[in-house]
Amino acid sequence: MPSFDFTSEADMVALKNAVDVASRQIENRYDFKGTSAKVELNEKDKVITLWGDSEFQLDQIKDLLFPAMEKKEKDSVKRLDVQKIQSVSGNKSKQEMKIRDGIDSELAKKIVKLIKDAKLKAQASIQGDAVRVSGKKIDELREAIALVRSKITDFPIKDGNYRD
């Protein structure tokens, strides 16, 4: 019985490269000279931290970081959970963006419901932070992939781990 998995894993190498590109751009920009503007990636905790002198400067850093992320990995900005801007020591600002990895339970339930409601001849089941879809024919699985890709656009989902 053929099957495959819907997963969502962040490409940490691509994210690290995007943060490095944004850091170099920040260092070279004249309007950031002498400021506390910087961007950091904590790979262990999967958090990107933006530092700046004001909220406006944090927005400018995002304008550099987001295109670099999109260039390295498509839809990677959609996986960020942007936190509130915090004031740090005086007039400095800081903002954390958590990198969501894996498919959370609500999204997994939504995918399973989509496949069931479409009345495809495929069964979907939640397997931890992935959703396994199995069916009798490969064409049915392809229909499930097309359906989920067209309906779920707010979070990057990949299909893989094909078995026959």
Side-chain angles (χ1 to χ4, degrees):
M1 191 173 216
S3 68
F4 71 94
D5 294 337
F6 280 121
T7 59
S8 181
E9 289 186 28
D11 185 355
M12 293 307 288
V13 174
L15 283 175
K16 186 175 182 183
N17 287 340
V19 168
D20 289 343
V21 166
S23 293
R24 275 187 259 118
Q25 288 177 337
I26 290 169
E27 289 171 15
N28 293 333
R29 277 188 50 166
Y30 180 76
D31 55 340
F32 287 145
K33 296 278 189 232
T35 65
S36 62
K38 66 180 177 179
V39 59
E40 297 173 342
L41 172 66
N42 184 341
E43 290 184 62
K44 183 181 158 212
D45 297 332
K46 295 189 177 180
V47 174
I48 298 173
T49 308
L50 308 177
W51 301 87
D53 290 342
S54 64
E55 290 183 30
F56 176 72
Q57 201 170 54
L58 291 179
D59 289 338
Q60 287 181 318
I61 294 170
K62 285 185 215 169
D63 289 343
L64 295 174
L65 178 63
F66 290 172
M69 289 174 62
E70 287 293 321
K71 193 172 185 181
K72 302 290 180 188
E73 182 187 14
K74 187 175 182 283
D75 290 339
S76 60
V77 174
K78 292 179 181 177
R79 79 172 59 253
L80 294 178
D81 183 17
V82 179
Q83 305 295 313
K84 286 185 178 178
I85 296 174
Q86 303 169 352
S87 293
V88 184
S89 67
N91 60 351
K92 310 282 187 223
S93 296
K94 161 185 154 175
Q95 186 172 30
E96 291 185 343
M97 297 184 286
K98 295 180 180 174
I99 302 164
R100 296 186 297 177
D101 211 12
I103 297 176
D104 62 346
S105 61
E106 284 188 33
L107 184 60
K109 288 176 186 175
K110 186 176 176 183
I111 292 171
V112 170
K113 187 175 181 340
L114 261 174
I115 293 173
K116 284 185 180 178
D117 289 349
K119 296 190 169 115
L120 298 175
K121 293 182 181 177
Q123 291 78 37
S125 61
I126 300 171
Q127 306 275 317
D129 61 352
V131 176
R132 175 155 300 152
V133 180
S134 56
K136 291 183 179 177
K137 296 180 181 175
I138 293 176
D139 290 340
E140 295 162 357
L141 299 181
R142 288 186 185 132
E143 287 179 34
I145 292 170
L147 174 72
V148 170
R149 282 192 179 164
S150 67
K151 299 290 184 185
I152 309 288
T153 57
D154 58 340
F155 194 73
I157 296 177
K158 299 174 186 164
D159 51 276
N161 197 16
Y162 295 97
R163 296 192 186 106
D164 229 350

